[in-house]
Amino acid sequence: MANVATHMARRKARDDGEGTNERAIPFNKQDFQTLRDQCLRSRALFCDDTFPAQPDSLGYNQLGRYSPKTRAWCGRDPRSFVQTHSSFSVERKERTSAKEPWFWQYGEWVDVVIDDRLPTKDGKLLFVHSAEGSEFWSALLEKAYAKVNGSYEALSGGSTTEGFEDFTGGISEIYELSKAPPFLFKIIQKALSRGSLLGCSIDITSANETEAITRQKLVKGHAYSLTAAEEVHLHGTPVQLVRIRNPWGQVEWTGPWSDNSREWDGVRPDEKAKLDYSADDGEFWMAYSDFLRQYSKLEICNLTPDTLTSPEVGRWSHCQFEGTWMVGSTAGAAGTTRFQIRLDDVDDDPHDGEDGCSFLVGLMQKDGRKERRFGRDLNTIGFAIYEYKGRSNVHLGPDVLLRQRAVANSSTFINMREVCDRFKLPPGEYAIVPSTFEPHKKGSFILRVFSEKQAAASPMEEDINADVDELKIKDSDVDPHFKHLFMQIAGNDSEISAAELVQILNRVVSQRTDIKTDGFGLETCRQIVSLFDSDGSAKLGLVEFHLLWEKIQRYLEVFKSYDSDKSGTMSSHELRGALTEAGFQLNSAVLEVIVARYADAEFAIDFDCFVSCLIRLELLFKIFKTLDKKSAGKIELDVQQWLCLGIN
């Protein structure tokens, strides 16, 4: 119950704008202004007890407590920034908002507070450091990033795309240049026009090749940035060029189109003047064809509209959603967590010359680096896209979409933090189904969609509804044989209490071999009495008990029809269909709570749990309908009403 309340509170906070670029969430609930005021009052330096200068903050294995690679932390008095011309001092005001202490973490911006104690060994910083001895901003930024991820060791094995995304909130796509799509140059130009960040690198085949310099002065295993893509004319013939930057600020490409190479002599002076090709600053031009041959990988981080400040760059349309894979309900390829997207407008200036709607889909699983400490691996994840020609609130059985062929898929199912792909489809409505490759794998995820034109997207869920038959009979309609049996079991007061109902129901189900049950409990029978007690006696009379008996017979038919393997229990994956047949239309969020409440460790549901679930649902719908006097779909309770309902 508390977990559900916490989840609902977080969802409301997000709806109110918390976690956006304008309202970052204080990480670990540490508010910078409050902490600063406390330190000023006490005249003491801030010491961060949530990320202390202790071995656990360094790591858990290679950087663990007893690792010979690490030693005690050392306090320093660093300056956060020094005026310098080193390659670390990069101005990016035209690209992103200046929010240096913020990180994007799984759909939310977080504000991280740190102290200035940095890990050292033999008097030198252990990790990131600047060539300028008194410049520490990069080490402090690294510490904040390590804090977010749980430790310094959790940062090992990172990728350019993860850094791109966590520092900008963007979505990254990766291109293997040996298999570059035919219109990649146009994609690069469009990305640059939207303020995207582009990185490229040359793969290494062994650790010995790291930072090795090729004959034409390219560095292997090194993160370059791609900063421009232009077309010039060499003696009248068009040539595609890309501009690459080495963050070292030196060591430049010496091949064709490098600084002062003879190719520039054949370019018109006005074109040469625009390209600024001769500065010795680590930035250089090269032919796009050479770029494809020399480099191995291109990574593009497409930025969200709220991180771009320049009015001169284009904007993606962007939306994101949170979801979970719950074992027993929504995990696996047949899961029911789905999202719909409606594409109405085709691209302007399509990169391949053909009409269509371009969009990116990124599926990211949460908290993978933090889980490493506990030896947990990332799930293997991916997604499929189906054409969806239907209503906004269509009934989604477990296979309603999966019976048709997907119109597009993620390029692979992979155990990485994120899988992201670019698609181009005709205008229409589509359903995106994110899933784990293996069934029975739990996890939380973020699904993001970036589209060239405005696109409507939303979780693909059913309306929550109940259409339960309300049986109405009179005393005279009750079969005489049933009435005789009732009088035998009801006793002198001709009514059945919750305690008596426990004995009656358990006596009946114990005689059946086609269902499994642990027996009805007193709490379930109290709820049954509460639902069927029409005269407020807290007991069931003849008509009330007859209605209950009819209801249980109906529930038994539904239960047996969904016990596909005749085991006497129902799989939790079959529960949605059974609930629908019983008259309840529920979404995935409610289904997850039901499975957690009523399924056993093997995700099986026995008959008494099934009946208890249905009775509880019917009672809740009945209470809500009574209180929702205006049929607005919302009710308001004071604390007394809430407590009375919760305890009842």
Side-chain angles (χ1 to χ4, degrees):
M1 178 73 77
N3 287 338
V4 175
T6 300
H7 177 75
M8 293 171 66
R10 286 190 64 225
R11 183 172 179 177
K12 184 179 186 305
R14 286 193 299 272
D15 290 343
D16 292 340
E18 191 172 288
T20 63
N21 196 277
E22 301 301 322
R23 287 183 58 195
I25 298 171
F27 188 71
N28 286 349
K29 299 182 179 180
Q30 292 176 299
D31 179 70
F32 173 77
Q33 297 293 342
T34 302
L35 292 171
R36 186 184 67 172
D37 291 345
Q38 290 173 353
C39 291
L40 290 173
R41 284 195 301 270
S42 63
R43 303 182 65 83
L45 293 174
F46 171 62
C47 182
D48 185 9
D49 58 2
T50 72
F51 195 62
Q54 295 177 0
D56 285 349
S57 296
L58 290 177
Y60 45 87
N61 187 13
Q62 293 296 315
L63 298 180
R65 182 177 295 270
Y66 303 108
S67 171
K69 295 183 179 180
T70 60
R71 194 175 291 179
W73 290 47
C74 177
R76 302 290 297 269
D77 181 23
R79 286 177 281 168
S80 63
F81 190 86
V82 174
Q83 291 297 320
T84 174
H85 297 290
S86 76
S87 59
F88 288 95
S89 307
V90 183
E91 276 290 334
R92 293 280 291 287
K93 291 182 180 178
E94 77 285 358
R95 298 269 179 125
T96 62
S97 300
K99 294 180 173 61
E100 304 300 336
W102 291 10
F103 296 103
W104 184 89
Q105 288 289 286
Y106 309 110
E108 297 177 330
W109 286 95
V110 295
D111 191 358
V112 185
V113 179
I114 57 169
D115 61 29
D116 62 7
R117 288 184 293 176
L118 300 172
T120 64
K121 185 175 184 179
D122 299 328
K124 297 180 180 179
L125 291 175
L126 271 174
F127 307 114
V128 170
H129 55 277
S130 171
E132 174 64 47
S134 58
E135 181 178 306
F136 295 97
W137 72 267
S138 56
L140 291 170
L141 190 61
E142 180 191 39
K143 180 177 181 179
Y145 198 33
K147 178 177 176 177
V148 165
N149 286 279
S151 68
Y152 278 87
E153 187 167 357
L155 303 183
S156 64
S159 66
T160 305
T161 56
E162 284 191 41
F164 272 165
E165 292 179 344
D166 289 347
F167 281 79
T168 69
I171 188 171
S172 295
E173 47 185 327
I174 302 174
Y175 293 93
E176 297 295 336
L177 296 180
S178 61
K179 300 179 287 186
F183 304 103
L184 180 58
F185 186 77
K186 186 71 173 180
I187 291 173
I188 291 172
Q189 286 186 313
K190 274 201 165 187
L192 290 166
S193 72
R194 285 184 167 85
S196 302
L197 307 178
L198 286 77
C200 53
S201 59
I202 302 171
D203 287 346
I204 59 174
T205 57
S206 69
N208 293 332
E209 287 190 330
T210 302
E211 306 293 357
I213 300 176
T214 68
R215 182 171 55 85
Q216 292 178 305
K217 302 298 182 181
L218 296 179
V219 186
K220 292 186 176 182
H222 191 59
Y224 287 85
S225 53
L226 193 157
T227 58
E230 300 287 348
E231 188 174 275
V232 299
H233 293 81
L234 177 61
H235 303 300
T237 301
V239 178
Q240 293 175 332
L241 301 179
V242 292
R243 187 174 66 198
I244 311 294
R245 184 179 186 279
N246 182 346
W248 284 352
Q250 54 187 342
V251 186
E252 295 186 13
W253 161 253
T254 59
W257 297 99
S258 59
D259 292 1
N260 301 314
S261 68
R262 66 176 183 271
E263 283 80 12
W264 292 105
D265 297 335
V267 178
R268 295 199 313 261
D270 60 319
E271 288 187 335
K272 281 199 292 185
K274 286 194 305 182
L275 298 188
D276 188 21
Y277 65 92
S278 62
D280 186 15
D281 56 0
E283 200 163 45
F284 54 86
W285 291 91
M286 67 191 308
Y288 174 66
S289 55
D290 281 333
F291 170 71
L292 295 181
R293 284 191 293 267
Q294 297 290 337
Y295 285 86
S296 309
K297 185 187 302 179
L298 171 69
E299 298 167 285
I300 303 176
C301 182
N302 303 280
L303 303 183
T304 57
D306 61 348
T307 59
L308 292 163
T309 58
S310 172
E312 299 177 2
V313 298
R315 301 290 198 274
W316 289 93
S317 174
H318 160 250
C319 55
Q320 68 180 30
F321 308 99
E322 285 194 73
T324 56
W325 293 299
M326 293 292 292
V327 179
S329 56
T330 55
T336 52
T337 304
R338 298 157 188 193
F339 304 86
Q340 62 184 9
I341 177 173
R342 189 177 73 246
L343 304 172
D344 293 323
D345 302 320
V346 298
D347 303 343
D348 294 329
D349 187 24
H351 60 264
D352 56 2
E354 297 182 6
D355 285 342
C357 306
S358 294
F359 61 103
L360 305 172
V361 178
L363 175 64
M364 177 184 291
Q365 53 187 317
K366 290 186 174 184
D367 298 326
R369 291 191 176 276
K370 289 183 179 178
E371 296 294 304
R372 284 182 182 177
R373 181 183 292 269
F374 308 105
R376 297 172 189 152
D377 293 328
L378 291 167
N379 286 326
T380 300
I381 60 171
F383 57 86
I385 303 175
Y386 297 86
E387 191 171 11
Y388 168 54
K389 298 176 180 178
R391 302 176 305 279
S392 296
N393 288 295
V394 68
H395 164 60
L396 292 176
D399 61 351
V400 70
L401 288 172
L402 304 182
R403 285 195 296 264
Q404 59 179 290
R405 181 187 295 273
V407 297
N409 297 279
S410 55
S411 56
T412 183
F413 272 76
I414 192 167
N415 61 337
M416 291 181 64
R417 182 174 88 155
E418 183 176 41
V419 55
C420 176
D421 286 287
R422 177 184 290 259
F423 303 96
K424 188 173 186 179
L425 293 174
E429 290 188 72
Y430 300 91
I432 305 172
V433 183
S435 64
T436 55
F437 182 75
E438 300 172 275
H440 306 301
K441 291 288 185 179
K442 68 177 182 178
S444 300
F445 65 85
I446 295 289
L447 183 80
R448 297 188 288 167
V449 179
F450 281 51
S451 54
E452 286 215 4
K453 290 297 190 73
Q454 190 70 34
S458 62
M460 195 175 181
E461 286 284 14
E462 300 171 83
D463 287 334
I464 296 176
N465 211 330
D467 184 16
V468 181
D469 294 333
E470 291 194 19
L471 302 174
K472 294 183 179 180
I473 61 172
K474 296 181 292 187
D475 192 303
S476 58
D477 296 330
V478 179
D479 179 79
H481 179 64
F482 185 89
K483 184 181 295 187
H484 177 70
L485 290 175
F486 175 79
M487 298 305 295
Q488 284 184 321
I489 61 178
N492 295 332
D493 61 354
S494 298
E495 288 190 313
I496 296 174
S497 67
E500 291 170 324
L501 186 59
V502 172
Q503 298 176 3
I504 294 168
L505 293 180
N506 286 337
R507 192 183 311 149
V508 172
V509 296
S510 66
Q511 297 171 4
R512 300 194 66 110
T513 58
D514 55 344
I515 59 174
K516 288 185 179 179
T517 175
D518 291 331
F520 287 84
L522 182 60
E523 184 59 34
T524 296
C525 290
R526 281 174 173 161
Q527 291 182 8
I528 292 173
V529 171
S530 180
L531 177 63
F532 289 92
D533 175 25
S534 58
D535 58 7
S537 65
K539 294 184 179 182
L540 300 181
L542 172 62
V543 172
E544 295 163 340
F545 185 72
H546 188 273
L547 292 174
L548 166 63
W549 197 253
E550 292 289 322
K551 183 80 70 174
I552 288 180
Q553 294 302 311
R554 167 65 176 147
Y555 290 168
L556 181 60
E557 291 175 10
V558 173
F559 183 84
K560 291 185 66 177
S561 68
Y562 280 86
D563 177 16
S564 56
D565 59 358
K566 308 302 178 187
S567 64
T569 63
M570 180 195 305
S571 166
S572 61
H573 286 288
E574 299 166 324
L575 183 59
R576 183 189 286 264
L579 291 173
T580 301
E581 189 168 329
F584 299 100
Q585 185 173 299
L586 306 173
N587 63 20
S588 297
V590 178
L591 185 67
E592 289 172 4
V593 175
I594 289 174
V595 170
R597 171 67 177 81
Y598 291 102
D600 65 15
E602 282 72 44
F603 301 99
I605 299 171
D606 59 17
F607 182 64
D608 62 282
C609 285
F610 182 64
V611 171
S612 177
C613 172
L614 294 181
I615 292 293
R616 182 69 171 161
L617 281 172
E618 189 168 346
L619 185 61
L620 289 170
F621 272 104
K622 184 178 180 180
I623 293 171
F624 190 92
K625 187 176 181 181
T626 301
L627 296 174
D628 184 16
K629 299 184 183 299
K630 297 181 179 180
S631 300
K634 295 181 180 180
I635 60 175
E636 186 174 318
L637 304 174
D638 60 33
V639 67
Q640 175 182 298
Q641 293 169 322
W642 166 249
L643 291 174
C644 289
L645 283 175
I647 293 171
N648 184 21

